[in-house]
């Protein structure tokens, strides 16, 4: 990932899917993969999500508390696509 903003966006997008689909193995593995990118590439040690009028990602980087905001409609696009065509996004057992 080139930027922290992109990494947070990618992680949050799949995080929302993984939270909505806890049995979706691919979503769980992908959210863990992007969390590792946040940790190793950007030194993010803590991350929390709040859903208000926007998604707010609060995180700790190098001992400093920071946050980023993302529009709900942008973050929930993937989840909406999955919900609208579930036959295209089946959960395959490992």
């Amino acid at each position: 990932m080139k930027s922290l903003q992109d990494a947070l966006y990618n992680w949050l997008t799949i995080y929302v899917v993984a939270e909505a689909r806890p049995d979706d193995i691919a979503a769980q593995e992908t959210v863990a993969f992007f969390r590792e990118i946040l940790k190793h590439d950007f030194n993010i040690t803590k991350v929390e999500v709040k859903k208000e009028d926007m998604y707010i990602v609060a995180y700790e980087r190098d001992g400093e508390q920071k946050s980023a905001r993302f529009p709900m409609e942008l973050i929930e696009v993937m989840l909406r696509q999955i919900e609208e065509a579930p036959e295209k996004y089946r959960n395959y057992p490992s």
Side-chain angles (χ1 to χ4, degrees):
M1 302 273 141
K2 292 185 179 186
S3 74
L4 175 56
Q5 186 77 8
D6 288 344
L8 287 169
Y9 166 80
N10 288 328
W11 172 80
L12 180 58
T13 300
I14 193 63
Y15 172 84
V16 168
V17 171
E19 287 293 301
R21 297 170 48 103
D23 295 333
D24 186 329
I25 296 164
Q28 301 304 320
E29 290 174 352
T30 305
V31 80
F33 171 76
F34 281 113
R35 180 65 181 96
E36 285 298 310
I37 289 173
L38 290 175
K39 180 180 177 184
H40 292 290
D41 293 2
F42 297 99
N43 300 319
I44 303 297
T45 53
K46 295 180 185 175
V47 64
E48 294 179 6
V49 176
K50 294 179 185 174
K51 185 177 178 181
E52 296 177 0
D53 58 330
M54 298 183 86
Y55 279 98
I56 301 168
V57 179
Y59 60 94
E60 186 175 310
R61 183 178 192 194
D62 301 325
E64 255 184 89
Q65 296 291 327
K66 300 191 176 215
S67 66
R69 298 169 60 90
F70 299 90
M72 284 188 285
E73 6 359 285
L74 183 66
I75 296 303
E76 293 175 354
V77 165
M78 183 182 295
L79 180 59
R80 281 196 309 268
Q81 288 174 340
I82 291 169
E83 290 172 342
E84 290 172 4
E87 70 281 357
K88 293 181 182 179
Y89 302 96
R90 290 182 42 213
N91 186 20
Y92 294 97
S94 57

